[in-house]
Amino acid sequence: MSKSRDVQVSYITEHTRVFRSRTWDRLKFEIEYGLEKGTTANSFLIESDKTILINPPGESFTEIFLQALQDRIDPQSIDYLILSHVNLNRCTTIKSLLNIAPQLTLICSNPGAITLQNTLTDLPLNLKIIKTEENLNIGQGHDLEFIPTPIPRWPDELCIYDPKTQILYTDKLFGAHVCGDQVLDEGWTIYQEDRRYYFDCVMAPSARQVITALNKLSTKEAKIYATGHGPLVRYGLKELTRAYLEWSENQQKQELSVALIYASAYGNTATLAQAIALGITKAGVRVESLNAEIASPEDIKTAVTQAEGFIFGSPTLGGHPPTQIQTALGITLATASKNKLTGVFGSYGWSGEAIDILEGKLRDGGYRFGIDTIRVKFKPTEVVLKSCEEAGTDFAQALKKQLKASKPKPSVNASLADRTQQALGRVVGSLCVVTTVNGEVKGGMLASWVSQATFNPPGLTIAVAKERAIESLLYSGSVFVLNVLEQGKHLGLMKHFLKPFAPGEDRFEGVDMAIAPNGCPILQDALAYVECTVSQRLECGDHWLIYAIAQTGKVFNTEGLTAVHHRQSGNHY
């Protein structure tokens, strides 16, 4: 039985408290919550000559947050409400807060102010709009500095620096979706996987803007990153900052890129965009994410000109795409060459004509589609988001295939010279099928880079390519079954799991299987199986090395031999 939601309150400096609204369960089906470790929505209260509240949580926590706040301070004594970003979810709490504290001055960026004015139409709003880097002196040395750090998903993003405490309020940057009792990141290495996953899901599609933000923030001598989610960063601050820069720069170095252009009325299309972007980036292709609501015509023109492919995402408003998407499409049709791959996705409530309009115009324009058009009614489910991720990977692989076909074939001498690859290819491995289930999402993969790694505890390693669909289901704590194939009986299963699967296609249709106690499929035609739990992941070039502990297993045929995969070269499977 999971714990109830609550609010953990703690002083982090003399005048500054954090209110951590906590849920121990997965908060939403958005991919960034995919590790299912719960999350915290972090809000902050600074009490000086003026009193400041920073970033109230979304509607999931409205009641318990306001109660925790009122237990500690009279809301009518708060002078300013600072909003690092504004969305519909947070507006629910803001409205409730204004009902009990109407004196509040709301501080946000201009895009944030527009969202507030369009959403809270029945309330008088006292707004202070931050347009450039500005200061707000609230006394006793707390001269707060506002730093605009917009990214496509959150164009209104603001960071805040307090030079008195040397706390940098980073909101979306440096976060992680983890719920626990630790307020700070003592033993920070235990959060490395969570922070990397969060970066890959949330920040990687905006790597260019993240680098710009990091450069702006580098002038602030911060001792603590007061993040929007998860433990605050103190002990691993330097290492995490370096990692963010390295991860972002690695994205920018990719040879191929995709322009992902979208608008989102209620957040659903943005959620789809996030899943598609994850699939693209994990396949080693850079994403240039553009929110059509704020991107300039020049930005769109540059992105579609420089990218090898582009994908449009749109909601349907009044039977049409939003005006900004229509404008972006017009720029693209007039600018992008016809040899670029394209794709279309979108969410809708009742009809979805915008998706058909975009697809029709791009097909009429002579563009080839790298993926099937994605149509999602209302909010996307966990299964839908996994399908979108797989579609993104398929799109990236299609771009790679197109690039490879355009390059001249290596000369005979160059091929003969690569003796190292030929020798490496003589390293053999057993043929296995990895099967796993996470909620409603299933995964299966043929694997031959498998090896026992430890005696005590009994452990093994599996190398999984970053672009594999199953990769995002194999994080620490995940369970799977390793099905060892039998020589002479392996061809059917090998062919089945080698075939290309469409996004969302059931990997196990027509396969004779049972279900293991850990919930994962056991292939009945296998020689043996081992139930495993992922213990660690190690990033190794274009693969993740998964180390797992064997929990239990069984041999079906004690006379059978393990099927072995023989290769001619070390540069392919």
Side-chain angles (χ1 to χ4, degrees):
M1 184 174 178
S2 63
K3 298 180 182 179
S4 299
R5 293 180 181 180
D6 64 6
V7 180
Q8 179 192 33
V9 184
S10 176
Y11 275 98
I12 50 177
T13 63
E14 183 182 0
H15 299 134
T16 306
R17 279 183 279 188
V18 60
F19 288 67
R20 303 178 76 229
S21 300
R22 301 189 293 185
T23 177
W24 306 85
D25 301 316
R26 182 171 183 170
L27 184 62
K28 301 176 184 178
F29 277 128
E30 295 179 22
I31 56 168
E32 65 193 76
Y33 299 92
L35 297 188
E36 301 187 12
K37 296 184 180 181
T39 193
T40 69
N42 301 330
S43 308
F44 303 91
L45 186 71
I46 306 174
E47 295 174 272
S48 186
D49 296 345
K50 298 288 186 179
T51 300
I52 307 291
L53 178 63
I54 301 174
N55 294 336
E59 62 181 333
S60 300
F61 301 107
T62 299
E63 283 191 32
I64 60 173
F65 170 76
L66 291 180
Q67 186 60 58
L69 185 68
Q70 288 174 293
D71 287 345
R72 290 160 177 85
I73 190 173
D74 178 0
Q76 294 195 3
S77 69
I78 302 172
D79 297 283
Y80 295 100
L81 175 62
I82 299 177
L83 303 167
S84 289
H85 74 276
V86 180
N87 55 30
L88 298 179
N89 189 29
R90 178 170 280 177
C91 281
T92 301
T93 306
I94 295 171
K95 183 175 182 178
S96 297
L97 188 57
L98 288 174
N99 285 333
I100 59 175
Q103 81 290 342
L104 283 171
T105 296
L106 279 59
I107 302 178
C108 60
S109 66
N110 193 54
I114 293 171
T115 302
L116 287 171
Q117 290 165 334
N118 290 339
T119 306
L120 303 177
T121 54
D122 57 338
L123 290 175
L125 299 176
N126 184 13
L127 293 173
K128 177 178 173 59
I129 299 174
I130 305 297
K131 297 182 179 179
T132 60
E133 294 192 17
E134 298 180 35
N135 288 46
L136 175 67
N137 194 327
I138 61 171
Q140 303 182 47
H142 298 280
D143 189 13
L144 304 184
E145 302 174 20
F146 296 97
I147 309 106
T149 52
I151 59 176
R153 181 78 186 272
W154 296 283
D156 55 344
E157 187 69 41
L158 277 177
C159 290
I160 306 105
Y161 179 63
D162 184 349
K164 171 71 177 291
T165 58
Q166 294 184 287
I167 296 175
L168 182 60
Y169 299 87
T170 60
D171 193 37
K172 292 297 181 180
L173 288 166
F174 306 115
H177 289 303
V178 180
C179 187
D181 293 326
Q182 280 189 228
V183 174
L184 298 171
D185 61 335
E186 298 97 332
W188 59 271
T189 55
I190 65 174
Y191 299 115
Q192 283 179 298
E193 182 177 279
D194 303 292
R195 296 199 191 282
R196 174 61 186 272
Y197 180 80
Y198 178 90
F199 175 89
D200 288 344
C201 292
V202 177
M203 297 295 165
S206 306
R208 179 170 59 84
Q209 292 89 346
V210 170
I211 290 173
T212 300
L214 292 175
N215 289 334
K216 283 186 177 182
L217 301 179
S218 65
T219 61
K220 312 304 176 186
E221 296 182 2
K223 289 184 177 179
I224 294 176
Y225 288 159
T227 57
H229 303 289
L232 311 189
V233 182
R234 176 182 176 184
Y235 299 98
L237 186 147
K238 290 182 179 179
E239 290 82 0
L240 183 58
T241 305
R242 283 196 297 267
Y244 253 62
L245 185 58
E246 178 185 341
W247 298 335
S248 299
E249 288 178 342
N250 286 344
Q251 288 294 325
Q252 291 299 94
K253 292 175 183 175
Q254 300 294 354
E255 184 177 11
L256 299 172
S257 68
V258 174
L260 185 60
I261 306 166
Y262 69 93
S264 189
Y266 302 104
N268 296 329
T269 305
T271 298
L272 299 177
Q274 189 180 48
I276 293 168
L278 176 63
I280 295 171
T281 56
K282 69 186 282 185
V285 173
R286 176 169 57 87
V287 171
E288 182 66 29
S289 185
L290 294 118
N291 185 338
E293 297 174 74
I294 61 164
S296 69
E298 193 58 38
D299 286 341
I300 293 169
K301 182 177 179 180
T302 299
V304 298
T305 301
Q306 295 180 350
E308 283 71 28
F310 58 89
I311 303 176
F312 270 87
S314 177
T316 296
L317 302 177
H320 296 280
T323 302
Q324 300 94 328
I325 286 292
Q326 295 184 47
T327 300
L329 179 64
I331 294 170
T332 302
L333 292 171
T335 304
S337 65
K338 300 300 184 287
N339 63 353
K340 296 181 187 289
L341 287 182
T342 191
V344 171
F345 67 95
S347 64
Y348 60 96
W350 304 108
S351 49
E353 295 95 340
I355 306 166
D356 298 328
I357 290 170
L358 292 175
E359 181 183 4
K361 288 186 177 295
L362 288 168
R363 290 196 186 280
D364 291 345
Y367 294 97
R368 293 184 300 114
F369 276 63
I371 52 172
D372 291 336
T373 297
I374 298 170
R375 297 174 174 84
V376 178
K377 192 169 185 177
F378 299 120
K379 286 194 173 187
T381 65
E382 184 179 17
V383 173
V384 166
L385 291 178
K386 183 61 179 172
S387 298
C388 289
E389 178 191 324
E390 293 173 12
T393 298
D394 285 353
F395 193 89
Q397 289 173 334
L399 285 181
K400 287 181 171 182
K401 186 176 180 180
Q402 183 174 274
L403 176 66
K404 185 177 180 180
S406 67
K407 288 184 175 181
K409 293 183 178 180
S411 66
V412 174
N413 289 337
S415 298
L416 291 175
D418 198 3
R419 296 192 179 107
T420 301
Q421 293 290 355
Q422 294 175 17
L424 186 59
R426 296 318 191 263
V427 177
V428 299
S430 56
L431 276 173
C432 304
V433 175
V434 179
T435 59
T436 188
V437 172
N438 185 353
E440 297 182 7
V441 178
K442 301 176 183 177
M445 177 192 79
L446 186 72
S448 61
W449 294 4
V450 180
S451 177
Q452 183 168 346
T454 54
F455 288 126
N456 187 18
L460 54 86
T461 58
I462 306 171
V464 180
K466 290 180 176 178
E467 59 194 48
R468 291 278 195 165
I470 202 173
E471 175 272 332
S472 57
L473 303 177
L474 296 175
Y475 279 84
S476 296
S478 303
V479 295
F480 66 89
V481 166
L482 183 72
N483 298 271
V484 184
L485 303 189
E486 182 177 352
Q487 183 66 37
K489 294 176 61 178
H490 66 287
L491 290 179
L493 286 172
M494 186 176 76
K495 289 179 180 178
H496 176 84
F497 285 98
L498 272 177
K499 71 180 183 181
F501 290 96
E505 184 178 351
D506 185 357
R507 269 68 172 167
F508 301 101
E509 185 176 356
V511 175
D512 187 14
M513 66 180 190
I515 301 301
N518 68 4
C520 302
I522 298 171
L523 306 184
Q524 298 292 72
D525 291 332
L527 172 65
Y529 77 91
V530 185
E531 292 184 53
C532 303
T533 301
V534 177
S535 176
Q536 297 178 48
R537 286 164 54 109
L538 176 65
E539 188 172 13
C540 303
D542 55 6
H543 280 65
W544 286 100
L545 189 65
I546 310 295
Y547 172 64
I549 306 300
Q551 305 294 347
T552 186
K554 182 179 179 180
V555 178
F556 291 126
N557 180 9
T558 57
E559 303 298 321
L561 297 175
T562 301
V564 177
H565 182 42
H566 295 277
R567 299 180 300 151
Q568 298 300 312
S569 174
N571 62 5
H572 59 74
Y573 294 111

